[in-house]
Structure formats: structure tokens, C-alpha cells
Amino acid sequence: MKIIHVIGAGPAGLMAAERLAGSGVRVIVHEAMPSVSRKFLMAGRGGLNLTHSEPIEGFLARYGEASPVVARWLDRFSPTRLIGWVEGLGQSTFTGSSGRVFPKAMKASPLLRAWLKRLSDLGVEVRTRSRWTGRRDGGWVFAGPEGETVEQADAVVLALGGASWPRLGSDGSWVQTLREAGVEVADFRPSNVGFDVAWSEVLIERFAGEPLKTIALGHAGQSVRGDLMLTRYGLEGGAVYALSAALRDAIARDGSAELVVDLRPDLSIEALAARLTKPRGKDSVTNWLRKAGGLSPAAVGLLREIPGAIPEGADKLARRIKAVRLTLIGVRGLERAISSAGGVRLDQVTDDLMLKALPGVFVAGEMLDWEAPTGGYLLQASFASGVVAADGVLDWPGAPGQGAALP
């Protein structure tokens, strides 16, 4: 029986392993960490967002320049198929009011346990503490607790992750090895990440750690609704993550980026101004803005960060509340980013995700150069790329049963 090695035991790698083993191939999965899918488990701590229910046109637009490539992946493994796969593991799902899809258990651990059992039943061997260190004499070299081993393979799937949250295993240490083999790899950049703002000491002391709920953010013609978290250094949260690629690139290009915050997106300027005509009476400005404008204390604190932020006149104040302009001066690092941009350039792989420079070596997951916002888009594409890479192995002329071996 031919042997396929999968290097990396995150969602993309395990999906490739399942697909291959289900086709009767012997599969060995290598994971450098002491346990598998640590980042997957971390993603599930706040509720495992598997995919999204929005129409496919909007879904694909989330992948930006990579959308034509990701579209082919989702043709192979769509959101509907992902949901069916999860439920086939005994984990029922539900769709939230935002359109996001979750397992009813919310956590990743029950799904992962059921998945690992299925892989074991299929005969997949998982080797933890097995770190790929390179190639030698046509073999694949791994460092483990008992020393170095050299493994032969009929094909290999690399699913080594990007470079975000490196303490969980995705540290980008594979980049130089592939570059030396002639593969072009784009430098990693943080994605779905927080940003630095030069807050006043007053805001830091009073409102760091406070959320801004149901606001809208705008930048360079893009707009998104969601929540935001004020932090000591700046901003975090799903709404800013959705704009993080454009904001990050603007800061790299210009040194800063402007973010416009609408604190009451549910009201027009006219409707908000009408509410702000209510006399203040003996209320403090904060209480009056809370009652008349529907602003939380944190929202008022943010408003006051802007010079002249409490102008005279209901119309001017309403316009300011609906367009608080913040200057972002920096991007948080990869060590705290949810995901990363960069990786193996998409023109370096075939449609089946085989490296053009290394026939028989396939690539899946976040180590490829694509990015997407949170909301289920990251996991969906990672799972789907694992399916495509596995199918690529099986369809490759040198695949198991075809007799060819890796160079």
C-alpha cells in the first residue's frame, strides 16, 4: 500500500487525511505540537464559528483577490457540505441571527473528539511531537522525542498553517525550506487583528476593556456593522477585523489609517438630531447623551476623544456621533492576530494545490496566500482546501496505484 504523509494536524491537514484514508490510502499525520489542532480548539473557546449562511456571491467576495481560487475550493466542499460533514460526526448545528453557523455544543472539543475517532477507525496514524525539518536523499526528515527519522512517501500534503498565534504551532518555520526549493512565499502579515490608537489617559483608565455594541465602521468606501472593544492600546473586535486587511495596508503605505465610527447606525442624522433636541436639564452631558442619544458611557468617552466632539446644536452633534474619526497608528503583531496573510503564492500551485516546483507535494490551509475575515470564512476555506489537496493527491498521475515516486 502506498503511503501519504500529511504534515500539520489542523483543520486542513486532518480533512486531507480523512479524504485520503477514506479512499483506501495509508495516511500518516505529523504534528509538531504535543497535541493536535490547538488553534482549532482556541477558535472554539468563544463559540466555534464553522461557516456562514450568506449567499455564495457575497461569501466569495470575503476572500478579496483570492476569491476566484477559493471559489474552486468551495465548489468541491461548500458550506452546505461542511454542515453535512459536521452533522455526520454527530454534532448538530444551528444558524445564528447573524447568519453564522455553529455546532450546538458551541465548543470545538466535542467535534474534534468525534473526528479523531473517525480518523482512527479509518486507520490514520497521528504522530505528535513529530516536527518536519527538511528533506534528505529524497526522504522527509522529522525530529521527534526519540531522535531524527527519515520517512519515504508517495505523496505529501503540507498543512503547516500560517504565522499567527505561533505558540499554538503555526510559526512559519517552514518558509525558508520551501523558498530554498524554489517556491515563492509571500511574507506573512497579521490579519483579523487589533490596531493601535493614541488614546488619552482618561479613556484608558475609564474605558479600556469596555465594548461598543452595534456600531458601524467605515474605511475607504467599505462599511461593516458589529461590535468593537476599546483596549489600552487601541481597538479589537469583529467589526475592525472585517476591515483589517485594508486598514493594515493603509498603515503600511501611509503610516496611519482613518477609521470612521458610527455610534448609532440604526438612526439617520435627522432622527438622531430630533432626539438630541430634548433639553438637558440637570443631567450631566454623559447622562443626557445616554438618555437622548442612546449612547453608552464608553461611546461618550470615545466621542470625547475628538477635539470639539460635543458641538453646539443638535444637527452638528448628530453628525459627529455618526462619524467619529479615529486615526489608527499601528497594527498589532502576528503573535496576537487571529490569522495571517501571506504564504505560498497561489500562482505557485496547480488547481489541485500541488506545488509546481515540487511534484507530488500538495499544500492546504492557511500556509497558502489568502485571507478572510472572521465569521466562518477562515475555517470554511481551510477545510475546503484540505479536500482539494487530498483529491489532488488521488488524481495525480504519480498517485497511489500509479507507481511514481517523489523526486
Side-chain angles (χ1 to χ4, degrees):
M1 180 183 291
K2 302 290 183 175
I3 299 176
I4 310 300
H5 289 261
V6 175
I7 306 177
L14 293 183
M15 183 59 77
E18 178 181 338
R19 192 85 162 186
L20 290 163
S23 297
V25 175
R26 183 186 173 197
V27 180
I28 300 173
V29 176
H30 299 265
E31 171 54 53
M33 302 299 284
S35 58
V36 305
S37 292
R38 291 191 168 196
K39 192 173 177 183
F40 181 62
L41 290 170
M42 173 70 80
R45 284 189 177 181
L48 182 64
N49 188 187
L50 294 162
T51 186
H52 203 287
S53 62
E54 75 175 321
I56 193 64
E57 295 80 7
F59 200 112
L60 291 173
R62 307 290 184 172
Y63 299 96
E65 294 180 358
S67 59
V69 174
V70 177
R72 295 196 295 268
W73 304 352
L74 300 194
D75 281 343
R76 200 78 61 86
F77 195 68
S78 67
T80 300
R81 290 181 178 177
L82 173 56
I83 292 169
W85 172 81
V86 171
E87 294 186 342
L89 286 168
Q91 305 298 308
S92 56
T93 63
F94 73 95
T95 302
S97 59
S98 65
R100 299 182 179 196
V101 179
F102 301 87
K104 284 191 175 177
M106 290 299 286
K107 298 179 181 179
S109 51
L111 175 60
L112 182 60
R113 284 195 297 270
W115 195 6
L116 291 175
K117 182 181 184 305
R118 175 183 286 179
L119 291 171
S120 177
D121 291 343
L122 287 170
V124 174
E125 178 184 352
V126 178
R127 299 177 184 174
T128 55
R129 294 186 173 89
S130 180
R131 178 179 292 275
W132 174 51
T133 59
R135 300 180 65 190
R136 183 188 308 148
D137 300 327
W140 295 75
V141 184
F142 296 91
E146 298 179 0
E148 184 180 273
T149 61
V150 180
E151 303 282 346
Q152 301 300 316
D154 294 289
V156 168
V157 176
L158 300 178
L160 292 158
S164 62
W165 284 96
R167 68 182 181 84
L168 298 179
S170 299
D171 57 12
S173 58
W174 51 267
V175 169
Q176 190 57 35
T177 301
L178 289 192
R179 283 176 172 166
E180 290 173 355
V183 179
E184 292 185 16
V185 182
D187 291 338
F188 282 112
R189 296 162 292 158
S191 185
N192 291 296
V193 67
F195 291 87
D196 298 328
V197 182
W199 296 134
S200 68
E201 287 299 320
V202 172
L203 185 136
I204 292 172
E205 290 176 6
R206 293 184 180 180
F207 301 114
E210 291 293 322
L212 297 175
K213 296 286 189 178
T214 59
I215 50 88
L217 301 182
H219 171 75
Q222 300 181 65
S223 180
V224 63
R225 292 196 182 200
D227 297 339
L228 202 59
M229 180 69 71
L230 302 177
T231 69
R232 298 188 66 83
Y233 53 80
L235 300 171
E236 291 277 356
V240 77
Y241 297 159
L243 297 174
S244 66
L247 292 168
R248 176 199 66 218
D249 294 347
I251 292 172
R253 182 184 63 246
D254 304 325
S256 64
E258 183 180 76
L259 182 67
V260 181
V261 184
D262 182 347
L263 295 170
R264 288 305 307 269
D266 54 321
L267 292 176
S268 67
I269 291 174
E270 294 75 17
L272 181 57
R275 294 188 178 202
L276 294 172
T277 59
K278 178 182 178 181
R280 194 178 113 190
K282 295 182 179 181
D283 283 333
S284 66
V285 172
T286 297
N287 279 338
W288 174 66
L289 287 172
R290 176 178 60 82
K291 293 176 182 178
L295 301 183
S296 68
V300 177
L302 181 69
L303 190 64
R304 282 178 159 158
E305 284 291 291
I306 311 303
I310 313 294
E312 293 293 333
D315 183 71
K316 288 183 179 180
L317 180 54
R319 291 180 185 277
R320 183 61 60 88
I321 289 170
K322 289 187 66 63
V324 179
R325 298 182 183 276
L326 301 178
T327 299
L328 310 187
I329 59 174
V331 187
R332 305 306 287 177
L334 280 163
E335 69 280 359
R336 297 294 295 181
I338 291 175
S339 59
S340 57
V344 175
R345 295 186 183 276
L346 295 176
D347 62 4
Q348 299 295 292
V349 295
T350 66
D351 288 350
D352 290 330
L353 297 183
M354 184 174 72
L355 289 169
K356 295 175 182 177
L358 294 171
V361 180
F362 295 77
V363 183
E366 201 177 332
M367 66 183 292
L368 286 158
D369 187 12
W370 60 276
E371 63 179 314
T374 57
Y377 308 103
L378 290 166
L379 273 178
Q380 174 67 59
S382 292
F383 281 124
S385 68
V387 169
V388 173
D391 288 351
V393 170
L394 297 171
D395 292 340
W396 179 48
Q402 302 297 324
L406 288 173

